[in-house]
Amino acid sequence: RAAKVGRRPGAGARSFREEEKWSRPAGPQIKSRSPPEAARACQVKCDVEFIAVSSYGNATSTSGAVQITHDIQQDITGRNIVVIEDILDSGNTLYFLKQYFMTKGAASVSICTLLDKPSRRTKVIKADYIGFEVPDEFVVGYGLDYAQKYRNLPYIGVLRPEVYQGE
């Protein structure tokens, strides 16, 4: 059902070393809604926390409405945040998160994404760190899902349209 696109990437495409210049009492916090592969490659002292958000539900396109299903627990006032994301598509979710963290008092918000799909962007937002740019196709695997399926594939693949036709 999913055509293979690529293999699991190696270590992060860009190091977080430049972030060491940030003043921080306990390092930048990394916020994520996906498995934090990039956090494993992080070379600086940091806190890791999770936030769960959704704008797709069981569809292949965003509803545009972002819902927080699990919020952060720590105070981020004055902290430098790195959001680690699986895919930057329409930009709705990351635009929302960046604004959300800034209103909670973050000193800065940087974005790290495994996959970037700039052709689908509806919000003006760019990632600071990008693994790969992908074409305008629905991708699954390696943590990415369609209706909670295919997340466990050990590679990233393109979901065949017949799987979701009729949406």
Side-chain angles (χ1 to χ4, degrees):
R1 291 188 176 174
K4 196 171 187 177
V5 174
R7 299 297 297 165
R8 179 178 169 177
R14 190 169 164 191
S15 171
F16 286 101
R17 281 270 178 218
E18 69 182 52
E19 312 308 345
E20 288 183 357
K21 67 182 178 277
W22 291 345
S23 61
R24 62 199 183 281
Q29 275 185 304
I30 298 175
K31 302 295 175 193
S32 174
R33 70 177 187 117
S34 63
E37 290 290 326
R40 292 183 192 159
C42 187
Q43 302 292 316
V44 298
K45 183 178 174 184
C46 65
D47 294 332
V48 177
E49 189 171 332
F50 297 90
I51 184 166
V53 294
S54 176
S55 67
Y56 280 77
N58 288 335
T60 58
S61 60
T62 181
S63 66
V66 179
Q67 291 183 302
I68 296 176
T69 58
H70 175 77
D71 205 349
I72 58 175
Q73 304 302 305
Q74 297 182 43
D75 178 14
I76 61 170
T77 303
R79 303 294 299 269
N80 297 297
I81 308 299
V82 178
V83 178
I84 299 176
E85 180 63 296
D86 49 11
I87 188 166
L88 174 50
D89 192 334
S90 68
N92 287 334
T93 301
L94 287 172
Y95 181 85
F96 170 86
L97 282 176
K98 192 167 189 173
Q99 301 306 312
Y100 181 71
F101 291 143
M102 293 306 288
T103 62
K104 286 186 141 308
S108 68
V109 179
S110 298
I111 297 170
C112 173
T113 186
L114 174 61
L115 304 175
D116 187 22
K117 197 185 293 186
S119 62
R120 301 272 301 170
R121 203 81 79 242
T122 59
K123 296 283 188 183
V124 179
I125 192 160
K126 290 186 177 186
D128 301 286
Y129 308 95
I130 299 169
F132 304 94
E133 189 171 306
V134 294
D136 186 11
E137 298 182 273
F138 197 85
V139 292
V140 294
Y142 200 63
L144 300 162
D145 74 288
Y146 166 68
Q148 303 302 317
K149 296 180 179 114
Y150 313 110
R151 188 184 305 273
N152 63 323
L153 293 174
Y155 55 85
I156 296 170
V158 175
L159 190 63
R160 294 187 179 141
E162 59 264 22
V163 174
Y164 56 86
Q165 281 178 333
E167 255 189 26

